[in-house]
Amino acid sequence: VYSSIWNADDWATQGGRVKTDWRLAPFVASYRNFSLSGCIWSRFTRRTLCTPEDMDSMPVMKAELDRKSRTAMKKLQKRHMVYDYCRDKWRFPKGPAPEC
């Protein structure tokens, strides 16, 4: 799951009526009552914790980024991402969380 807070475009500011105070940055988002159903999939081992029945009922679970898309994602992350949960050594001193 990727999430982002966008740049206060019209859709996020009631057509520009709500002004963004950039001095309050960085901005933080949180979720309530968020539920996600899925499986951990490793493109390296090509294995998952899902059963074959799960995978057949959810073909999207087999989807992954192609090489070009992974390269584009890494470029965007390098240029724009300020925090990476999976690289948080303070939170995970023994290595990344399993979902990473």
Side-chain angles (χ1 to χ4, degrees):
V1 176
Y2 282 91
S3 181
S4 177
I5 299 177
W6 286 88
N7 61 355
D9 282 336
D10 282 353
W11 64 268
T13 60
Q14 298 179 13
R17 290 188 298 275
V18 177
K19 300 300 178 199
T20 303
D21 186 347
W22 295 105
R23 295 172 298 158
L24 301 175
F27 302 105
V28 177
S30 62
Y31 300 90
R32 268 186 271 174
N33 301 320
F34 179 76
S35 177
L36 182 66
S37 176
C39 305
I40 298 172
W41 172 263
S42 171
R43 69 182 176 91
F44 299 109
T45 64
R46 304 203 58 81
R47 295 189 188 276
T48 181
L49 297 178
C50 286
T51 67
E53 292 80 20
D54 293 332
M55 297 301 280
D56 288 341
S57 67
M58 299 181 288
V60 71
M61 297 304 294
K62 296 179 184 177
E64 61 182 291
L65 297 176
D66 60 18
R67 185 177 182 169
K68 183 178 177 182
S69 297
R70 281 194 307 274
T71 300
M73 176 67 77
K74 286 179 184 179
K75 183 178 177 181
L76 285 168
Q77 288 172 332
K78 185 176 180 181
R79 293 172 80 191
H80 301 288
M81 187 164 46
V82 295
Y83 173 75
D84 185 345
Y85 169 85
C86 290
R87 295 177 190 253
D88 188 335
K89 290 182 175 26
W90 182 81
R91 182 175 285 178
F92 305 108
K94 295 180 182 178
E99 62 270 26
C100 295

